[in-house]
Amino acid sequence: PWCVKVGSRGMRILVTGAGGFVGAHLLPALSKAGHEVIAASHRPWEPPVPVEIEVFDVRDGPRVREVMDARRPDAVIHLAAQASVRRSWEATDETFAVNVTGTSHLLESLADRPETRVLLVGSAQQYGLAAAGRPLVETDPLQPRSPYGVSKVAQELVGALYRRHFGLPVIVARPFNHTGPGQSTEYAIGAFSSQVAEIERGDREPRLRVGWLESRRDYLDVRDVANAYRLLVEAGEPGEVYNVASGKAERIGDLLDILIDAAGLKDAVEIVADSSPRPGDPEVLVGDSTKLRKGLGWEPEIPLATSLVDTLDSYRARTREDLSEGTDHGHHRLRRQSPG
């Protein structure tokens, strides 16, 4: 496989959207591997490890170019996104401006530096529909069913365009669902964990309000996903697409049961669930990551039950902090993946 190392400290890697959920776990993983990290977000924040910081919004093309010209990274991991399927229906213009135009700004700023490796982070939502009787592979058709899914297909096409015309070594990841400490309440496991922590503390009546629990999803721990992104930016093959997935379909309701059991609340809470899925929400979405496993030696290491309890623990800790400080700063840090 293609592999790049620059100097004794590895590569100089700029991470967009570094202030979001995945960034909080990716920055330490890159630093631990010996890379020089530049963390970029669209608003000021405090990274979890000492790294260089840039603040810019990917929708601001001139500012993106200014940063890339000044920093001259060896590689970019492009996390910046409007990453919520639900919000993409409510804010379609923002979704396309961040996910498509923002990606175009990034790649245009690197067009005259074809030695810069770029990892574009897509989504399982690009597939839209499950494959019959098997996990999805990278060559399956892309049939997105939400503006978010469409925006990620478009992002990937923009990446392919810049690879063909300017020789940019663009690699694409299509991650399936992931969870872990710090996940936003915008997503199912974060929302479950937040409510369970509030019920445990006595700040909420013992009633959980949740979405449709019959969908089945492929879940990984965010720390395993961060490790996959590190391997891909180091040694992924330019022009290739890689699923980041467990290969197992988990019923969402079963994951909720694990969290309830972990809190000792079995038979003590009422569950109020939606009777049908959200518009465009596929019933099953599970991926095959053989290409990533065989090509780069990646293997997920953290059991899903551990991921779930760690997510719950992060909400238990944050809610205690919020009570003692009298602020909502902890929840401010849990916003969805940032656009810059």
Side-chain angles (χ1 to χ4, degrees):
W2 179 294
C3 187
V4 176
K5 288 285 182 181
V6 181
S8 60
R9 283 193 53 77
M11 288 189 284
R12 184 174 176 82
I13 302 175
L14 188 145
V15 180
T16 70
F21 168 52
V22 176
H25 300 278
L26 179 60
L27 300 182
L30 294 174
S31 294
K32 184 178 179 182
H35 297 296
E36 180 183 348
V37 181
I38 304 160
S41 181
H42 77 297
R43 62 176 182 271
W45 87 113
E46 187 176 328
V49 289
V51 294
E52 297 180 64
I53 295 173
E54 288 283 358
V55 177
F56 66 89
D57 192 311
V58 293
R59 289 170 288 191
D60 183 346
R63 174 68 178 137
V64 173
R65 178 173 286 279
E66 176 186 319
V67 171
M68 296 302 158
D69 287 347
R71 293 294 193 166
R72 301 187 72 82
D74 300 309
V76 176
I77 299 178
H78 188 42
L79 295 180
Q82 191 302 96
S84 164
V85 172
R86 179 195 61 79
R87 181 164 172 75
S88 76
W89 288 105
E90 302 166 358
T92 304
D93 288 352
E94 177 196 0
T95 300
F96 278 87
V98 174
N99 297 0
V100 185
T101 306
T103 299
S104 179
H105 288 160
L106 171 67
L107 297 176
E108 181 63 25
S109 75
L110 299 172
D112 58 352
R113 289 205 297 282
E115 70 280 4
T116 307
R117 290 167 65 79
V118 180
L119 176 63
L120 295 182
V121 176
S123 170
Q125 293 290 332
Q126 293 175 237
Y127 293 109
L129 297 172
R134 61 168 174 79
L136 289 153
V137 295
E138 291 86 353
T139 52
D140 277 322
L142 303 181
Q143 305 173 81
R145 303 178 71 191
S146 67
Y148 171 70
V150 171
S151 77
K152 285 297 188 176
V153 172
Q155 171 187 269
E156 191 172 307
L157 289 171
V158 171
L161 179 69
Y162 277 81
R163 185 181 60 81
R164 284 195 301 267
H165 285 270
F166 298 99
L168 270 179
V170 175
I171 304 136
V172 173
R174 291 184 193 148
F176 284 66
N177 290 58
H178 38 283
T179 192
Q183 185 169 43
S184 165
T185 56
E186 183 71 44
Y187 306 97
I189 304 304
F192 297 167
S193 298
S194 173
Q195 292 182 68
V196 169
E198 289 175 358
I199 292 169
E200 278 186 314
R201 203 175 62 241
D203 284 355
R204 183 187 187 93
E205 60 184 344
R207 179 179 296 123
L208 285 158
R209 298 187 180 277
V210 298
W212 195 54
L213 295 176
E214 300 308 314
S215 61
R216 289 180 289 147
R217 291 288 181 270
D218 185 319
Y219 266 96
L220 286 168
D221 189 284
V222 64
R223 292 159 288 195
D224 284 327
V225 172
N227 189 44
Y229 295 170
R230 177 187 63 79
L231 288 169
L232 285 168
V233 81
E234 288 175 348
E237 192 71 35
E240 293 297 322
V241 177
Y242 298 84
N243 283 342
V244 183
S246 74
K248 301 173 186 174
E250 307 281 354
R251 177 181 169 271
I252 300 298
D254 293 340
L255 305 186
L256 175 59
D257 289 343
I258 291 172
L259 287 167
I260 291 171
D261 288 349
L265 295 173
K266 187 176 182 180
D267 302 323
V269 294
E270 177 188 359
I271 298 173
V272 182
D274 290 347
S275 58
S276 60
R278 295 175 305 189
D281 211 10
E283 183 176 344
V284 180
L285 211 52
V286 58
D288 183 322
S289 58
T290 300
K291 186 175 179 179
L292 176 61
R293 293 170 193 250
K294 288 189 174 180
L296 299 180
W298 174 82
E299 285 293 337
E301 298 177 354
I302 300 174
L304 182 55
T306 301
S307 307
L308 295 172
V309 174
D310 286 354
T311 307
L312 175 58
D313 282 345
S314 74
Y315 270 93
R316 287 165 164 163
R318 279 187 168 87
T319 49
R320 283 196 298 270
E321 288 171 11
D322 296 341
L323 281 173
S324 63
E325 296 174 8
T327 73
D328 65 350
H329 183 64
H331 292 288
H332 175 79
R333 289 198 301 269
L334 293 176
R335 286 179 182 170
R336 67 181 184 278
Q337 191 168 309
S338 85

